[in-house]
Amino acid sequence: MDRYGLLLATLIIAYLVSALTSSRVTQALQVGFFVAITLLALRVSSLPRRTVVLARSVTVIGSVIVVALVAASGNKEVRGAASIWTAAMLLLTAVLIVERALGMETVTIQTIYAALSAYLIIGLMFASIYGAIDGLTTTDFFANGQQANIRTFQYFSFTTLTTLGYGDFTAVGNFGRAVAVLEALTGQIFLATLVARLVAAYRTPPRGAPPGGGPAGPAGEGEQSPDQQARAPAEGEAQARPGSREWQEP
């Protein structure tokens, strides 16, 4: 059974935790939330069981190593490497969720939750990419010496993804600007195609409708019940059979 409502709630909590505080403990805690999100996505995915077990093991072991490194060292390069791992984990999660949403036969509220979860994951993924760029390069990521941390990366990521473009934070390097353009394009394409299509196709079932989609009440005027429809051909044959009272030779 799909649990995309729970996954969406976990994503919102993970974002709020990192948006309110910024420290090594916060980054380690955020990785823990992302591990839970990835495991939830793997649980409802259509991947073979062996692949799911392997992906779970790699996710848990790799994340434990990353959290240990971040907790033990405040080195900028270590934080950058941890951001790469986080971005890769979120990319896998987004692909699994979108693949599952597109594979659903009917559009339900769980499908909408899945699309919204994938949208939030894309924003968090690009925030991790910005953190990796800042950690693995020698130049500042933001112009005018603006502070670069988890909070500002996520703020910059979601304002870019939604194309708000406040302008208070701007990427100074060519690589950062290129990634920001890709994020803006991704956000617009995602909203204009997947989310809009799913919302348009979503229909709530009518109250009192039977599972088969037939009329909820008894057959109305001009309509025939299944028994009447089954008897109709037999009665027609009896009327047309020679020898019957109703039959008249022309």
Side-chain angles (χ1 to χ4, degrees), residues 12-237:
I12 294 174
I13 294 173
Y15 169 74
L16 291 176
V17 168
S18 57
L20 297 177
T21 59
S22 179
S23 63
R24 286 184 293 173
V25 176
T26 301
Q27 187 173 8
L29 185 61
Q30 188 183 53
V31 171
F33 277 113
F34 292 160
V35 170
I37 292 167
T38 304
L39 294 180
L40 283 173
L42 286 170
R43 181 181 179 184
V44 298
S45 68
S46 57
L47 295 176
R49 181 173 178 79
R50 291 184 178 180
T51 305
V52 171
V53 172
L54 178 61
R56 286 176 178 174
S57 301
V58 172
T59 298
V60 173
I61 295 173
S63 299
V64 169
I65 295 174
V66 167
V67 170
L69 291 175
V70 171
S73 173
N75 190 286
K76 185 178 179 181
E77 287 74 15
V78 173
R79 294 197 304 269
S83 297
I84 292 178
W85 170 258
T86 303
M89 190 164 50
L90 291 174
L91 176 61
L92 171 64
T93 307
V95 170
L96 290 175
I97 293 175
V98 172
E99 185 270 339
R100 178 64 175 171
L102 293 177
M104 293 181 179
E105 295 181 357
T106 57
V107 178
T108 63
I109 189 63
Q110 292 296 325
T111 314
I112 304 300
Y113 286 155
L116 294 176
S117 298
Y119 188 70
L120 289 179
I121 288 173
I122 290 173
L124 294 171
M125 180 190 71
F126 275 99
S128 298
I129 295 175
Y130 299 141
I133 295 173
D134 179 67
L136 299 178
T137 57
T138 57
T139 58
D140 293 335
F141 183 84
F142 292 120
N144 302 322
Q146 295 275 21
Q147 187 178 11
N149 52 44
I150 296 177
R151 288 179 296 180
T152 55
F153 286 139
Q154 290 186 354
Y155 173 79
F156 176 73
S157 176
F158 281 105
T159 54
T160 302
L161 183 68
T162 56
T163 64
L164 287 175
Y166 288 130
D168 47 353
F169 286 88
T170 306
V172 67
N174 292 328
F175 190 31
R177 291 176 178 175
V179 175
V181 170
L182 289 177
E183 182 179 14
L185 293 174
T186 302
Q188 290 303 298
I189 293 173
F190 191 90
L191 289 177
T193 55
L194 180 62
V195 174
R197 179 179 178 182
L198 292 178
V199 172
Y202 175 70
R203 295 291 185 273
T204 57
R207 182 176 299 178
E221 185 179 357
E223 297 180 353
Q224 291 182 333
S225 66
D227 292 340
Q228 292 173 337
Q229 293 175 0
R231 290 196 303 266
E235 293 174 356
E237 291 177 0

